[in-house]
Each structure stands twice: as C-alpha cells, then as structure tokens.
Amino acid sequence: MKSVVCTLFEGNYHHGLAGLSNSLFNNGFRGDLFVGYRGDLPPWANSAYANSDLEWDNGKTLKIAEDFKVHFLPIVTDWHLANLKPDFMLNLWSSSAKDAESIFYFDPDIVIKCSWLFYEKWVNFGVALVHEIISNDCPPNHPKRSIWNEVIDKIDMKVERDIHSYINSGFCGVKKSNIEFLETWSKVIQSFIDSFGFSIKHFDFKNFQPWDIYFAGDQDAFNIAAMCSKSPLSEMGPEATDFIHGGFTMSHAVGSPKPWDKPFILSALKGIPPSFADKAYWNNVGLPIDTCSKSTIKLKKISIKIASVIGRFYRKY
C-alpha cells in the first residue's frame, strides 16, 4: 500500500516535527512526509530544494534518505492550523499526494513507537482514531452529544452511528476509499464558522465552556464527523497515545511545556515527573534528523532519569 504521512506546524514545533520524522523512519516508514507550515523553515531544513513536482507553490523537499523525503508546503492563512487539518489532507489528495492510497495525519508533538506495518494494517479496518483521556466516557445520551445533535440538525446532516467515547483529533489515518470522512469533518468546521460564529483564528479553551458546541474547535468537529460520517471507523483507547498506561503505538505530548522546552528536574521538584511522551520524544532526537548536539541529548536523558527518581517520591497526582 502506498501511504503518506502529513502534519502541520509553525514556530518551535519544528523540534516536534523532527522527533516525529525520526520516529517514523526508525520504525520502518519509507515514503513521503508532507509538512504544511507557516512562517520559516526549520534551521535543520536549510538544504531543502525547490520541487515543482509537488504541485504546491514554493514547495520544497528535504531528502533524509533515498527512500524517505520530507516535503515542506507553505501555507498562507490566518486560520489556526488545527482547523486546517481536513482541508490540508484533502488538498494533498488533489495535488502532491494524488496517488496515495492512505493518508495519516499526526500532530507535530507525536512520536510513533511501533512498526509502521501496524499502521498500514490498522487503516484497512476503517478510519483510524484514538480516544481522548478527558471526557473519554461520552455515551450517545451524553448532554454534550445532545447539544451536538441540535447542531447536526441545523446544518442538515444526520447521525449515522452511536459513538461512546470522545476522540482526539491529533491523529487519524484515512484510506482514499474513506475520503468522505475528511469531507464531513471539513463541512462541520465550515458550519461552525458560517452558522455559529466560531473563530477560526484561535484555539483557546479559556474563552469557552465545556458545554459550548465548539469548546475544542476542530476536535469537537472531528467528533461530530465521526458521528455523521458513513465511513467505517477503527478506534483505539487513550492508551494508544500514552495518555494512560498500556500503549504501544505512539506518544502524544499534549499540554505545555513541550518535551523540547521542559526543564525536567525543576518540573519534578514541582511535583510533575517526566511523562511517557517526554521520554519517547527524547528517544527520537538525533537520527536521522539532528537538531541538537550529542552532549545536549545526553544531558537531557540524564535529567529525565534524575527527574523520574524524584517523581517516585514526590508528585502532585
């Protein structure tokens, strides 16, 4: 199967992008990683060359290995990048990745942990999705879903299935035969803008209450799409992103500070030990994309070990 991977980033999330890229390569992914970005290219991509074959204005390619390339696709928009996910994937299928059988999206603060062959297998069972740990128990009669049902009626869509858990929009895998899922997701986001005054420029929990229809922006739209899409779904629990114990597929460094910015010992002294995602990120720094010195990596790993010991005796939770 010809699968491609994509992500969106800006600013210092290029550190996370490098970690994601390394984890893909080191776990057997070979092919193309398409990166939508706003602002400047990361410093480690200075050797990227202009590539008209991408069918994307000012697109550039960085050759990591003979069989692994990272393609940088500039995006000019005032939207928050989180709200662009379905449209970016759809645009890839109509241009740079038109021959791809499947597209996988990962947030740039994710690293994968298992063989890429698992992902190739997974997407054959339906749109690959992972549950959120917050509000994970979200049955069909949950009041939030009842609010969403009112939205669904207003935008002239229909609930096609009962969903029992809240889904995290930081990852999805979609076969081209299930492209309808992305079209539905895009339509819901657009309806938030047209019918409910959703601000596409922000991703700010502070201004919304959990019962608002778009409390989590693209992620609430993602969950509505899962309810209304006719495409088959294949769901994993929050362990799939290391939100809880027992995962083997990937680690998602949600929240802040991110692993590349976190002062691990200081955080541990405040009762916050290193997370699974912190450790997974630093296990994927260095090769094949080198973003910092070997001595920096060594010091970070030592600080993680010390912070982990502190965390055995003192933590907030």
Side-chain angles (χ1 to χ4, degrees):
M1 178 189 298
K2 182 180 179 182
S3 296
V4 301
V5 174
C6 69
T7 190
L8 294 159
F9 95 95
E10 61 183 331
N12 76 349
Y13 275 72
H14 73 81
H15 294 288
L17 168 62
L20 170 63
S21 302
N22 289 345
S23 73
L24 288 164
F25 184 81
N26 293 331
N27 283 286
F29 174 79
R30 297 295 183 268
D32 300 296
L33 168 57
F34 293 94
V35 180
Y37 73 99
R38 180 165 54 193
D40 298 324
L41 280 176
W44 48 264
N46 287 334
S47 60
Y49 58 89
N51 186 353
S52 60
D53 291 340
L54 295 173
E55 300 183 35
W56 196 287
D57 289 345
N58 299 312
K60 293 185 175 183
T61 294
L62 179 66
K63 184 177 177 181
I64 305 300
E66 193 63 38
D67 48 5
F68 181 45
K69 297 180 176 67
V70 180
H71 307 288
F72 292 94
L73 310 177
I75 294 175
V76 180
T77 182
D78 60 355
W79 286 35
H80 191 288
L81 295 185
N83 298 317
L84 284 176
K85 294 174 187 177
D87 288 344
F88 181 60
M89 296 172 76
L90 290 167
N91 287 339
L92 286 177
W93 250 320
S94 65
S95 58
S96 306
K98 62 180 61 173
D99 295 328
E101 295 178 42
S102 300
I103 294 181
F104 291 83
Y105 173 86
F106 295 86
D107 273 352
D109 51 4
I110 292 176
V111 295
I112 76 165
K113 297 168 40 178
C114 69
S115 169
W116 181 252
L117 293 176
F118 173 79
Y119 288 89
E120 296 279 13
K121 188 76 171 177
W122 185 4
V123 78
N124 285 321
F125 304 132
V127 178
L129 305 171
V130 173
H131 297 169
E132 178 65 87
I133 188 170
I134 301 172
S135 302
N136 183 44
D137 188 12
C138 192
N141 59 355
H142 192 287
K144 190 170 181 67
R145 289 204 189 276
S146 297
I147 294 172
W148 288 345
N149 283 331
E150 294 175 351
V151 174
I152 291 165
D153 288 341
K154 185 170 183 179
I155 62 178
D156 197 29
M157 296 180 73
K158 178 185 176 183
V159 175
E160 297 291 339
R161 61 168 64 84
D162 288 336
I163 303 289
H164 291 261
S165 293
Y166 190 64
I167 303 167
N168 184 281
S169 63
F171 161 80
C172 68
V174 186
K175 290 187 70 172
K176 199 165 191 176
S177 57
N178 294 326
I179 195 172
E180 173 266 346
F181 177 86
L182 297 178
E183 294 167 343
T184 302
W185 186 11
S186 176
K187 180 180 177 181
V188 176
I189 291 177
Q190 191 62 49
S191 75
F192 280 6
I193 300 165
D194 296 340
S195 301
F196 302 100
F198 173 61
S199 175
I200 56 177
K201 298 181 182 181
H202 305 290
F203 188 81
D204 184 5
F205 291 123
K206 295 179 182 178
N207 293 327
F208 303 112
Q209 298 298 327
W211 53 83
D212 287 335
I213 60 169
Y214 40 64
F215 168 64
D218 77 294
Q219 189 158 276
D220 277 13
F222 191 62
N223 279 266
I224 292 174
M227 295 166 64
C228 296
S229 169
K230 296 181 180 179
S231 301
L233 308 181
S234 181
E235 306 170 52
M236 291 187 72
E239 77 284 349
T241 43
D242 275 352
F243 289 162
I244 61 174
H245 289 273
F248 68 91
T249 54
M250 63 190 111
S251 272
H252 190 175
V254 295
S256 60
K258 296 299 182 183
W260 51 88
D261 287 330
K262 185 177 290 187
F264 292 108
I265 295 176
L266 180 60
S267 293
L269 292 172
K270 293 180 180 179
I272 306 171
S275 67
F276 293 135
D278 292 331
K279 297 173 183 178
Y281 169 78
W282 280 101
N283 284 335
N284 284 280
V285 175
L287 292 173
I289 297 174
D290 186 5
T291 59
C292 56
S293 67
K294 291 182 180 179
S295 60
T296 297
I297 297 171
K298 184 176 180 179
L299 287 172
K300 280 292 185 180
K301 289 185 175 181
I302 291 172
S303 70
I304 287 174
K305 289 181 179 179
I306 294 171
S308 297
V309 172
I310 295 172
R312 294 177 187 173
F313 303 99
Y314 174 60
R315 62 174 62 204
K316 285 185 176 180
Y317 50 85

